[in-house]
């Protein structure tokens, strides 16, 4: 327990699993009031009870539901200090450009990229009114590096999240609102496990490129998000915040 987010109100999308869930717990440990927005109505209320926060059913592709999520945070706790716009998908239909159809492309763009536009658009008015706020949007290391094991719409969506975050960080820098893109390397979450269970060879091909020799645990990402959310990162905005076990810095990895 600490006080690094004492008296701050944080909204986390995709907070019922993986990186989002670990962050929800970490934020609560540091004193934040946390509002979880997710589709998982089975787990959501349990998680809210565990952390003494609020669960709001929210499909992040739906503008009205996203507005209602941030409105619920402001109505319940009086402010919106942190928005961790993190919900995302990585479905198997999204693969090589040669086999990925338009429906799969569009679905991933909606959930991974349009959602971040909607969440930033909904969060910013509260933060601008307060004159303070920290937005963290989940991109990925694939926004900065190419992979031969392609998921074409996912990669393009994360590139969009990265450049949108950079632009918002620059635009609102003098109004007290920071916007950063979190770029995780591969993380041991249901999203990744599902993908790699289907194709162990693909998992092995990726693991060989990680200098630290393993995938991240969600808690390691949560610690980075906590830093970006807190005032400790007060001079960091418009950044691509890589938490990738050294992948993006490596040419040859250790044996
Ligand atoms: N796991 C990785 O290796 C990895 C690497 C880089 C980036 N990321 C990104 O991190 C983020 C979180 O990934 P994760 O691995 O924790 O995933 P996860 O599958 O464990 O959790 C995703 C959560 O988002 C929710 N969600 C999905 N669609 C939604 C929607 N339309 N509206 C609201 N909520 C929705 C799910 O219910 C779930 O709780 C994603 O944006 C993902 O692209 C993950």
């Amino acid at each position: 327990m600490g006080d690094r987010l004492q008296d701050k109100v944080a909204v986390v999308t995709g907070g019922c699993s993986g990186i989002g869930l670990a962050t929800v717990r970490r934020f609560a440990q540091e004193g934040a009031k946390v509002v979880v927005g997710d589709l998982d109505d089975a787990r959501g209320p349990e998680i809210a009870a565990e952390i003494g926060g609020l669960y709001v059913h929210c499909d992040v592709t739906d503008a009205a539901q996203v507005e209602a999520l941030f409105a619920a945070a402001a109505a319940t706790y009086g402010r919106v200090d942190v928005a961790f716009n993190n919900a995302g998908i990585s479905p198997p239909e999204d693969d090589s450009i040669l086999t990925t159809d338009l429906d799969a492309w569009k679905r991933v763009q909606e959930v991974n990229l349009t959602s971040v536009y909607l969440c930033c658009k909904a969060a910013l008015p509260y933060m601008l009114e307060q004159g303070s706020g920290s937005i963290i949007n989940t991109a990925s290391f694939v926004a900065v590096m190419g992979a031969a094991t392609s998921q074409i719409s996912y990669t393009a969506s994360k590139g969009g999240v990265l450049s949108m975050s950079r632009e918002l960080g620059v635009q609102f820098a003098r109004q007290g609102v920071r916007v950063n893109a979190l770029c995780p390397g591969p993380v041991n979450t249901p999203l990744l496990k599902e993908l790699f269970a289907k194709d162990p060879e693909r998992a092995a091909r990726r693991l060989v490129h990680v200098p630290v020799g393993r995938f991240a645990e969600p808690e390691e990402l949560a610690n980075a998000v906590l830093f970006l959310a807190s005032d400790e990162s007060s001079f960091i905005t418009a950044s691509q915040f890589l938490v990738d076990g050294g992948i993006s810095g490596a040419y040859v990895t250790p044996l």
Side-chain angles (χ1 to χ4, degrees):
M1 290 294 278
D3 60 1
R4 292 165 69 190
L5 293 182
Q6 199 62 48
D7 302 324
K8 292 203 193 276
V9 178
V11 176
V12 178
T13 70
C16 286
S17 176
I19 298 167
L21 176 57
T23 303
V24 162
R25 289 181 167 142
R26 194 75 188 88
F27 278 5
Q29 282 170 0
E30 294 293 335
K33 306 222 169 26
V34 185
V35 179
V36 178
D38 204 295
L39 292 173
D40 190 343
D41 294 340
R43 298 221 59 207
E46 282 171 31
I47 293 164
E50 175 195 320
I51 57 151
L54 183 67
Y55 170 71
V56 179
H57 174 94
C58 177
D59 180 342
V60 290
T61 66
D62 182 307
Q65 291 185 36
V66 169
E67 279 165 30
L69 170 66
F70 286 92
T76 308
Y77 298 120
R79 10 184 340 108
V80 178
D81 298 294
V82 177
F84 181 34
N85 303 320
N86 163 75
I89 55 171
S90 177
E93 314 79 78
D94 178 24
D95 202 279
S96 160
I97 193 168
L98 300 174
T99 53
T100 300
D101 68 22
L102 190 57
D103 285 346
W105 165 273
K106 283 183 177 166
R107 179 71 191 143
V108 171
Q109 293 296 314
E110 286 275 297
V111 179
N112 289 8
L113 178 58
T114 306
S115 68
V116 174
Y117 153 78
L118 291 173
C119 288
C120 290
K121 198 173 167 67
L124 275 163
Y126 297 102
M127 296 178 172
L128 293 173
E129 167 89 25
Q130 293 161 191
S132 67
S134 175
I135 297 176
I136 303 112
N137 297 321
T138 305
S140 167
F141 72 108
V142 300
V144 298
M145 302 186 74
T149 49
S150 184
Q151 294 176 275
I152 194 62
S153 186
Y154 183 91
T155 296
S157 74
K158 296 303 187 180
V161 170
L162 177 57
S163 49
M164 176 164 39
S165 306
R166 183 189 301 129
E167 186 139 303
L168 295 177
V170 171
Q171 184 180 354
F172 297 108
R174 300 204 182 171
Q175 287 156 277
V177 180
R178 297 184 295 111
V179 186
N180 290 293
L182 178 79
C183 297
V187 187
N188 212 356
T189 69
L191 182 141
L192 193 77
K193 284 180 193 156
E194 196 183 312
L195 196 70
F196 287 174
K198 207 192 93 202
D199 194 344
E201 197 194 318
R202 194 178 246 208
R205 272 189 82 184
R206 293 198 189 193
L207 192 54
V208 81
H209 296 286
V210 189
V212 300
R214 62 174 176 84
F215 296 147
E217 292 305 320
E219 292 72 21
E220 296 178 287
L221 274 297
N223 282 328
V225 184
L226 169 63
F227 172 64
L228 291 174
S230 79
D231 296 336
E232 292 160 21
S233 58
S234 52
F235 205 60
I236 300 178
T237 196
S239 82
Q240 57 182 48
F241 203 86
L242 281 151
V243 184
D244 69 353
I247 297 172
S248 58
Y251 166 44
V252 178
T253 52
L255 288 171

